[in-house]
Amino acid sequence: MGSFALFVNLEKEPGAEQAGWEQERKGTGPDWPGWASSKITGQWVSTLYFSLYVMMIYFDMEAWVLALHKDSESEWTSLLLYVPSIIYAIVIEIMNHLYRYAAEFLTAWENHRLESAYQNHLILKVLVFNFLNCFASLFYIAFVLRDMKLLRQSLATLLITSQIINQVVESLLPYWLQKKHGVQVKKKLQALKADIDATLYEQVVLEKEMVTYLGTFDDYLELFLQFGYVSLFSCVYPLAAAFAVLNNFTEVNSDALKMCRVFKRPFSEPSASIGVWQLAFETMSVISVVTNCALIGMSPQVNSVFPDSKVDLILIVIAIEHALLALKFVLAFAIPDKPHHIQMKLARLEFESLEALKQQQLTLVAENLKEEASDRGKEQAP
């Protein structure tokens, strides 16, 4: 019966669930007036412009600190070189959170019919802004300023600072606040002096006031940005991969703490894939191939091989970049998304579910025939 129940759940009509989402999404925003599209576009563009404006302020701070270090060249000015990047990393995290709320508001105004369409448009807005907000300064340093030392310094500072902030904000801070709230609950319970089980009462109150887990959106976004920091400029700062691995080891424990001690127990939501995030990661990988090939072609060591003809260097870099992209797409096509043994298990599960359904239908038909035969026998009896 377990296989049959699974088969029945899998065979539900998708329109039945989507119809419920459609009704819910119809009431999420106002009617779509003619001026709403231009208003949303204007707010979105103004937000991106503000992000670029903050980036230019960061470069002014970098120039001021660098000039101060050249004048004195002391130990404290050497440490001061990292301060603009740290401040900029904190501002980036604040702007990412603020734009998340702005993106939800703008997407709600679009009043999408399906929940899937709402989520896709929300993810697209957030990804575009986060990509520009986090990586625009690095692209500017790499391809406009062409300062590889500053690129390594900025990349390392932004990566490490963002990892520390995410660990603190996601797990440690909520856990500390919950512990603090637990102490307050104990004090209130002691003040009541009621004849109840103190441990049980405290557990009930704390679990009731736990935060609801809203989904994997923030986790996917964090992984997407980390993947960008590691892959976009890996040839300039290979040590970023080591910091990412170290962060992922601690992330496993912090996520376990978050899911077990901070949030309420979430309900599982079945999904066929990771959705639009798959396209986002694949796009990031393609951009990374192009970026790293360009940075390698700009390096002095490679340029010294072609001192006279830059055209040959550009053509060779483009040919290598196309070859790597072709290899990537060939491997993606050759390697199946589902391994063969998984496909066999899914096919066997589907076959067993069909057999269980067929067996149940045969049993129902046999019972109906028996009932009809018994009814006829009663009617024919004198």
Side-chain angles (χ1 to χ4, degrees), residues 43-63:
Q43 291 178 349
W44 193 65
V45 172
S46 62
T47 308
L48 295 179
Y49 174 78
F50 180 73
S51 173
L52 296 178
Y53 180 75
V54 171
M55 183 188 73
M56 299 313 297
I57 294 177
Y58 158 67
F59 285 123
D60 291 339
M61 293 174 59
E62 283 282 0

Side-chain angles (χ1 to χ4, degrees), residues 17 20 27 31 41-42 50 99 108 110 130 157 176 197 221 248 283 288 312 335:
E17 295 182 359
D31 293 335
T41 304
F50 180 73
Y99 187 76
E110 295 174 359
N130 279 262
T157 308
W176 177 77
D197 189 352
L221 182 60
N248 291 340
T283 304
S288 300
D312 295 340
I335 301 175

Side-chain angles (χ1 to χ4, degrees), residues 52 55 58-59 88 130-148 151 154-155 158 228-229 231-233 283-284 286-292 294-295 298:
L52 296 178
M55 183 188 73
Y58 158 67
F59 285 123
Y88 185 52
N130 279 262
F131 185 87
L132 292 176
N133 194 33
C134 296
F135 305 123
S137 61
L138 300 177
F139 277 100
Y140 185 84
I141 295 172
F143 298 105
V144 178
L145 300 180
R146 296 189 178 185
D147 190 345
M148 298 304 149
L151 178 61
S154 300
L155 179 58
L158 291 176
Y229 281 123
S231 61
L232 285 174
F233 308 97
T283 304
M284 180 70 80
V286 172
I287 297 174
S288 300
V289 172
V290 177
T291 302
N292 284 282
L295 290 173
M298 291 166 51

Side-chain angles (χ1 to χ4, degrees), residues 17-42:
E17 295 182 359
Q18 291 181 0
W21 283 116
E22 288 173 7
Q23 294 175 2
E24 195 169 342
R25 288 250 55 89
K26 285 179 182 177
T28 55
D31 293 335
W32 184 256
W35 49 266
S37 178
S38 59
K39 181 179 179 181
I40 291 174
T41 304

Side-chain angles (χ1 to χ4, degrees), residues 15 26 34 52 61 65 95 108 120 153 161 171 223 244-245 248 250 259 265 287 294 312 320 343-344 359 363-364:
K26 285 179 182 177
L52 296 178
M61 293 174 59
V65 171
M95 292 178 64
N120 289 338
Q153 174 186 320
T161 306
S171 301
L223 291 175
V245 171
N248 291 340
T250 58
M259 300 301 295
R265 182 180 298 175
I287 297 174
D312 295 340
I320 294 174
Q343 294 179 3
M344 294 298 295
Q359 197 69 28
T363 304
L364 291 174

Side-chain angles (χ1 to χ4, degrees), residues 274-302:
I274 63 175
V276 73
W277 291 105
Q278 179 72 26
L279 178 61
F281 280 97
E282 289 180 355
T283 304
M284 180 70 80
S285 65
V286 172
I287 297 174
S288 300
V289 172
V290 177
T291 302
N292 284 282
C293 288
L295 290 173
I296 292 174
M298 291 166 51
S299 64
Q301 295 83 357
V302 176

Side-chain angles (χ1 to χ4, degrees), residues 11 42 105 107 154 200 220 228 231 250 261 351 364:
E11 288 298 308
F105 172 76
T107 311
S154 300
L200 179 60
Y220 274 122
S231 61
T250 58
R261 299 295 182 88
F351 174 77
L364 291 174

